[in-house]
Amino acid sequence: RAPSARAAVVVRYGAPTEQEGSANEPRTRETLGLRWNECWRYREPQGPGFDRLVLFHRYDLVGVLRLHADGGLTPEPSERSPS
């Protein structure tokens, strides 16, 4: 069996620094066109400059974004969000 998306994220990035929402959260949010109900935040994983946000909808990974110091968001270059 393939590992779940959540388990794969933990293997790749470790445990998140912060978490917003949950897999069972009924409310969804939208960021850069990605619908999500759970966000894992990794504070400055590469040093100063950006935090990493990992977005899930239920148990599915929907995107990985960089949150820059100026508040701007960009997709993680090494990750492809499903279309």
Side-chain angles (χ1 to χ4, degrees), residues 12-78:
R12 184 166 187 168
Y13 300 120
T17 309
E18 299 172 21
Q19 179 180 338
E20 178 183 343
S22 73
N24 296 315
E25 172 73 44
R27 293 173 293 171
T28 58
R29 299 158 184 85
E30 190 168 316
T31 304
L32 296 181
L34 302 170
R35 287 188 60 218
W36 59 275
N37 64 342
E38 184 173 5
C39 175
W40 292 1
R41 183 174 185 162
Y42 295 85
R43 291 203 172 267
E44 300 189 6
Q46 301 294 329
F50 71 89
D51 291 354
R52 181 174 285 118
L53 304 179
V54 179
L55 306 177
F56 296 94
H57 188 260
R58 303 286 180 235
Y59 292 94
D60 298 325
L61 174 65
V62 295
V64 180
L65 305 174
R66 288 183 176 186
L67 173 61
H68 299 276
D70 66 2
L73 288 168
T74 56
E76 179 75 20
S78 63

